[in-house]
Amino acid sequence: MASVFANFRQYLMGWDADSHPGSDVDQFRSGLATPQFNGVVRVRSTSAIGPAVAGVRRDLAGLPWWWWVGPDSPGDTADALRRHGGQELAVLPVLARPLGHPAETPDTSGQDGARAGLRVETVRDGEQLADLVRTYRTSMGIAPGLEPEMVRIESQREDNADIVRLAAVRDGRVVGSTVVINAHGVAGIFLVHVAEAHRRRGIGAALTVAALRTAQDRGMHTAALVASPAGEPLYRRFGFTTLSEYSLFAFPA
């Protein structure tokens, strides 16, 4: 479990080129006006949670942000945040599955895309990176004006050597995305999104298969992700089971 959450912290904090683990909290500040990419991913102690909350609110003033509470924070963190004005937004399951030989990767009913005229490609150039970002930005409901800065941050992440970006392509267009960060022996799978007009056609399954194969090729031991309600049934079909959970908190301005 420790490796899974170290992987997740690396991914989230990678949205801030200047972020680094702090003495009290690990926080990140992309500057983007969307809460997915600003916030706190761990607090080490709740003994001085009041000053810690005040400091984070000051540092992230003017930006939407979330405080992620997982098992790498003390067990009383959620209650401490509530006492200091935090509002719980959601509880999201963290799912994981072991990785074995590539031949063991599930490939259900030919949904790896070959029978549907779909290709899953590794994103390497700037134009396709922009298409990938546009796909998940739109699916997440993030404003179009943030897209250029999202592309810039993606292209300049310090941990890009650990990251594989995958695009589902049909008829020359990117219709799905996922990002796999291979670190700490774990393949963290993020930003699995399918364009609305192309959903329920096996693209999510194709991306999941490709992500697992990529992780196995990189020698990772475990795959893990934070599941949305819509995606959870798909991942369970691929052998993912509940490892833990994250609680998301927001603080009113």
Side-chain angles (χ1 to χ4, degrees):
M1 186 182 295
S3 296
V4 168
F5 285 89
N7 180 289
F8 287 1
R9 288 194 304 273
Q10 178 177 325
Y11 173 73
L12 287 168
M13 294 182 71
W15 281 91
D16 178 359
D18 298 322
S19 71
H20 57 275
S23 58
D24 298 316
V25 297
D26 293 346
Q27 71 181 62
F28 56 104
R29 188 184 194 281
S30 71
L32 297 166
T34 185
Q36 292 92 337
F37 306 128
N38 307 287
V40 173
V41 71
R42 177 172 61 167
V43 62
R44 287 174 172 73
S45 171
T46 56
S47 61
I49 194 69
V53 170
V56 173
R57 297 186 73 165
R58 181 176 59 252
D59 292 345
L60 299 179
L63 289 171
W65 59 278
W66 289 333
W67 193 307
W68 298 70
V69 180
D72 50 349
S73 289
D76 61 342
T77 300
D79 289 338
L81 294 180
R82 291 186 188 98
R83 290 195 300 270
H84 289 85
Q87 297 179 354
E88 188 174 80
L89 301 177
V91 177
L92 301 174
V94 175
L95 307 184
R97 58 153 286 177
L99 294 171
H101 188 274
E104 298 171 10
T105 304
D107 185 2
T108 59
S109 304
Q111 288 186 335
D112 63 350
R115 300 181 187 178
L118 186 78
R119 302 188 315 278
V120 177
E121 303 176 352
T122 300
V123 173
R124 293 186 174 90
D125 61 70
E127 182 178 351
Q128 197 171 46
L129 177 60
D131 290 340
L132 185 88
V133 170
R134 183 173 303 113
T135 299
Y136 74 69
R137 175 197 62 75
T138 303
S139 179
M140 295 168 73
I142 297 173
L146 298 183
E147 189 173 304
E149 186 66 1
M150 293 170 70
V151 173
R152 185 193 68 79
I153 293 173
E154 285 273 20
S155 67
Q156 296 180 7
R157 284 184 64 114
E158 293 184 354
D159 59 353
N160 266 334
D162 296 332
I163 291 177
V164 178
R165 298 176 177 88
L166 299 170
V169 180
R170 173 176 284 155
D171 298 328
R173 296 180 56 197
V174 175
V175 296
S177 70
T178 193
V179 173
V180 185
I181 178 167
N182 301 284
H184 308 281
V186 173
I189 301 174
F190 299 92
L191 298 174
V192 182
H193 289 276
V194 177
E196 186 173 2
H198 296 268
R199 292 173 185 168
R200 293 175 291 279
R201 300 182 186 179
I203 296 174
L207 287 164
T208 303
V209 168
L212 294 174
R213 287 176 175 163
T214 294
Q216 289 167 332
D217 290 346
R218 290 281 187 110
M220 299 298 105
H221 307 301
T222 302
L225 51 85
V226 180
S228 67
E232 186 174 354
L234 168 68
Y235 304 129
R236 292 196 182 279
R237 291 206 330 258
F238 281 93
F240 283 86
T241 59
T242 301
L243 175 68
S244 186
E245 63 186 23
Y246 266 124
S247 295
L248 288 185
F249 281 79
F251 286 79

